[in-house]
């Protein structure tokens, strides 16, 4: 029986570590409100003990209960923003890569270049100074500032796949745009998109947390991990758990996500010879001929 290679052991270790790191904040975020219970009476600010596992916060609320309620807004907003950004970036990038109409590509890309020139957080703050976005508005804003970068990555990766003879053969056979874009080009860029999704989700988590830290999209006393870090930092040296616990959970969520995506992508790699043989066999068996 062949022994697992060192690379396989390393991938398994990264995957196990990623699951262990990300499971705690995810479980607290998704299931925490179920077990939080009813709010108790408020006591003195920044105290330890008195039946409060992690002490009290800046207004005397139980920190542990705030932690149980504070993860869901961060996680759901980040996931929704990431999904929305790709929902727009994928069709835009694929159309730009596959179209032969230069004017259409310019029409789609140039407005995104304008958005790309403005720093993401600055754009969110500018919009928030005019409107007061809630959780849905924050997700839309974060998705908006991520669309230009995601669309450029999709366009650059898809353009390389679209230049292959297989796509030209599909076009000459009269195949539909959907068949070329999704059936062939989309499959070719899948691994690149998976790698970008892991990095982008981490960046979105950071952006959502930073916006919430600055009071965008959330109430000043909301049960939100980022808001907890901001509002309780004045009592850091008196009652540190109110700041340390939510901050550590945010860091664990981003770090665990990166580890999981890294392990998943590494697990899909094949040796160079195996990759070449697979590609040749697939071309001979499945590449359409004009």
């Amino acid at each position: 029986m062949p022994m697992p290679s060192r690379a396989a052991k390393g991938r398994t270790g990264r995957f196990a570590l990623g699951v262990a790191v990300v499971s705690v904040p995810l479980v607290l975020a998704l299931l925490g409100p179920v077990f939080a219970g009813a709010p108790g009476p408020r006591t003195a600010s920044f105290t330890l003990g008195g039946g409060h596992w992690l002490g009290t916060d800046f207004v005397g609320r139980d920190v542990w209960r705030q932690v149980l309620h504070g993860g869901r807004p961060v996680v759901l907003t980040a996931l929704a923003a990431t999904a929305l950004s790709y929902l727009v970036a994928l069709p835009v990038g694929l159309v730009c890569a596959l179209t032969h109409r230069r004017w259409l590509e310019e029409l789609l890309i140039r407005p995104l270049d304008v958005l790309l020139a403005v720093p993401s957080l600055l754009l969110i703050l500018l919009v928030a100074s005019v409107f007061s976005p809630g959780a849905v508005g924050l997700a839309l804003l974060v998705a908006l500032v991520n669309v230009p970068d995601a669309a450029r990555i999709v366009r650059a990766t898809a353009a390389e796949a679209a230049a292959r003879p297989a796509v030209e053969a599909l076009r000459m056979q009269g195949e539909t745009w959907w068949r070329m874009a999704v059936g062939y080009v989309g499959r070719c860029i899948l691994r690149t998109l998976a790698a970008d999704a892991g990095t982008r989700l981490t960046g979105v988590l950071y952006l959502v947390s930073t916006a919430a830290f600055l009071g965008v999209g959330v109430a000043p006393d909301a049960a939100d991990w980022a808001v907890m870090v901001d509002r309780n930092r004045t009592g850091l040296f008196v009652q540190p758990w109110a700041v340390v616990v939510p901050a550590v959970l945010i860091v664990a969520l981003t770090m665990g996500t990166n580890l999981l995506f890294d392990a998943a992508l590494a697990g899909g790699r094949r040796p160079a010879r195996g990759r070449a043989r697979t590609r040749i066999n697939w071309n001979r068996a499945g590449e359409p001929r004009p």
Side-chain angles (χ1 to χ4, degrees):
M1 182 176 179
M3 297 294 292
S5 64
R6 183 177 300 179
K9 290 181 179 179
R11 289 194 300 269
T12 304
R14 286 198 300 273
F15 185 80
L17 180 60
V19 169
V21 171
V22 82
S23 60
V24 175
L26 273 183
V27 169
L28 288 177
L30 299 178
L31 300 181
V34 178
F35 301 102
R42 297 190 181 187
T43 60
S45 303
F46 298 130
T47 59
L48 292 169
H52 304 287
W53 294 3
L54 300 176
T56 60
D57 64 0
F58 70 106
V59 290
R61 297 173 300 187
D62 183 72
V63 170
W64 175 242
R65 187 176 184 279
Q66 294 299 105
V67 167
L68 292 178
H69 278 283
R72 185 174 290 184
V74 176
V75 173
L76 294 183
T77 302
L79 290 176
T82 304
L84 286 172
S85 64
Y86 280 112
L87 191 63
V88 177
L90 274 173
V92 170
L94 288 174
V95 168
C96 291
L98 288 168
T99 186
H100 287 169
R101 298 176 176 87
R102 185 69 179 176
W103 63 268
L104 178 59
E105 183 177 358
E106 294 289 328
L107 182 64
L108 292 174
I109 287 296
R110 295 306 161 226
L112 298 182
D113 290 342
V114 176
L115 286 177
L116 193 61
V118 183
S120 301
L121 188 58
L122 177 61
L123 181 59
I124 291 175
L125 293 176
L126 286 174
V127 175
S129 65
V130 180
F131 304 100
S132 297
V136 176
L138 179 58
L140 291 174
L141 283 175
V142 174
L144 176 66
V145 299
N146 275 275
V147 166
D149 187 39
R152 281 189 165 274
I153 290 177
V154 173
R155 175 198 181 195
T157 311
E160 187 275 332
R164 297 176 185 175
V167 175
E168 187 61 30
L170 287 170
R171 186 178 284 113
M172 292 175 64
Q173 282 186 331
E175 295 288 351
T176 62
W177 184 89
W178 179 265
R179 168 87 169 97
M180 292 186 292
V182 179
Y184 182 80
V185 176
R187 185 173 59 182
C188 291
I189 67 175
L190 191 59
R191 282 180 55 81
T192 302
L193 291 183
D196 180 65
T199 306
R200 191 166 305 282
L201 180 58
T202 302
V204 167
L205 280 167
Y206 163 77
L207 195 55
V208 168
S209 300
T210 304
F213 181 85
L214 297 174
V216 178
V218 294
D221 59 346
D224 185 284
W225 289 345
V227 174
M228 291 177 66
V229 174
D230 176 39
R231 293 300 176 181
N232 296 312
R233 57 194 171 91
T234 55
L236 177 61
F237 297 103
V238 179
Q239 209 290 74
W241 300 119
V243 176
V244 171
V245 171
V248 168
L249 288 173
I250 293 174
V251 171
L253 190 61
T254 56
M255 185 174 68
T257 301
N258 266 334
L259 287 171
L260 284 178
F261 272 91
D262 182 61
L265 289 171
R269 292 172 187 160
R270 300 175 181 174
R273 184 176 299 176
R275 285 201 307 268
R277 184 181 296 115
T278 302
R279 188 179 299 117
I280 292 172
N281 290 339
W282 186 90
N283 285 345
R284 290 175 179 171
E287 183 175 286
R289 301 292 182 182

